Amino acid sequence: MRKSSVLMAHVMILSIILGATAYAGDPPKPFGLTIGKTSYAQTLETLQQRQWTYQEYVKKQLKQIDKNDPARGKNTFLLVKPKDTEGLKNIMVFFGGNSVLEALIVGMDSTLFYVIWDELEKKYDFVDKNLEGDYFSSDYPRILWQKENVYVELQKVSSHRIRLVYVEKRLFENFKDFLHKTYEPYRPKEAKKGWMDDL
């Protein structure tokens, strides 16, 4: 009797631990697409179900790729135009050489910054934040979270535009600034005044 109770207790504890691990181990699934797992074919199927239109591009040259090209889904990205999604401007969905989703960048209206921040704070583990940065620079305001091996970064790249980047942690540096223009080299330098030497 005692052995069966102890065994039952071990089974219950193990099932609780495994259940919690399975829940904690779920990577982010923005729009039903799992970073590092969803295939190119599954992505197209999801977009078709949502009736979202897209155009495909080669990642490196940003060259448009034809729908019949055999290279589709390999080191390419889809520029998606979401339908019936107020405040959502576009989604870029990136695939590696194995035709699996490796990153996703969501472009949104800047008015959604604090709402998105609140939602992500509930779902993911906080890593870092910098809210003092400058727009159109490499030091824009941002908040970074993590879930499993995926980084999720909310970026305020201009006063009118925010981006949400989902990417595998090992590829974060490759995607965090993708197509983000910085204007620091072009900013005019103000002339130094003579009295400034006394400061």
Side-chain angles (χ1 to χ4, degrees), residues 86-87 108-124 143 145 154 156 162 164 166:
E86 186 181 348
M108 294 171 280
D109 190 76
S110 63
T111 57
L112 300 174
F113 186 80
Y114 293 102
V115 179
I116 299 292
W117 181 354
D118 287 342
E119 287 303 307
L120 296 176
E121 197 69 34
K122 297 173 197 170
K123 290 181 168 185
Y124 308 123
I143 308 166
W145 294 272
L154 179 61
K156 195 163 190 177
I162 62 173
L164 187 55
Y166 294 85

Side-chain angles (χ1 to χ4, degrees), residues 95-113:
F95 301 94
N98 59 353
S99 297
V100 172
L101 176 65
E102 59 184 17
L104 190 137
I105 300 177
V106 185
M108 294 171 280
D109 190 76
S110 63
T111 57
L112 300 174
F113 186 80

Side-chain angles (χ1 to χ4, degrees), residues 59 76-77 92-96 102-105 140 153 155 163 165-168 170-180:
K59 266 192 284 193
T76 64
F77 72 95
M92 289 183 279
V93 186
F94 298 85
F95 301 94
E102 59 184 17
L104 190 137
I105 300 177
Y140 45 80
E153 186 171 69
Q155 307 171 336
R163 298 180 352 151
V165 179
Y166 294 85
V167 62
E168 291 183 80
R170 65 186 176 85
L171 299 171
F172 181 65
E173 291 300 321
N174 297 353
F175 286 98
K176 72 181 182 83
D177 293 325
F178 189 83
L179 291 183
H180 170 62

Side-chain angles (χ1 to χ4, degrees), residues 125-162:
D125 301 322
F126 174 79
V127 175
D128 187 33
K129 81 176 165 186
N130 172 20
L131 299 177
E132 303 299 319
D134 294 325
Y135 303 139
F136 300 111
S137 76
S138 56
D139 187 35
Y140 45 80
R142 63 174 66 98
I143 308 166
L144 180 64
W145 294 272
Q146 183 175 353
K147 182 72 182 274
E148 291 303 300
N149 65 335
V150 176
Y151 269 168
V152 179
E153 186 171 69
L154 179 61
Q155 307 171 336
K156 195 163 190 177
V157 292
S158 82
S159 57
H160 302 293
R161 192 168 63 96
I162 62 173

Side-chain angles (χ1 to χ4, degrees), residues 13 18 46 144 180-181 194:
I13 291 169
L18 290 176
T46 300
L144 180 64
H180 170 62
K181 301 285 185 201

Side-chain angles (χ1 to χ4, degrees), residues 34-76:
T34 308
I35 307 300
K37 293 187 178 178
T38 302
S39 71
Y40 178 75
Q42 290 167 326
T43 301
L44 295 186
E45 187 178 320
T46 300
L47 296 179
Q48 188 176 12
Q49 288 169 356
R50 290 180 179 263
Q51 297 180 340
W52 288 357
T53 59
Y54 65 89
Q55 184 57 58
E56 191 162 0
Y57 296 87
V58 177
K59 266 192 284 193
K60 287 190 177 175
Q61 296 97 5
L62 301 179
K63 184 181 86 173
Q64 194 169 322
I65 193 168
D66 188 65
K67 290 196 183 238
N68 299 320
D69 194 315
R72 286 178 20 196
K74 292 179 181 161
N75 294 313
T76 64

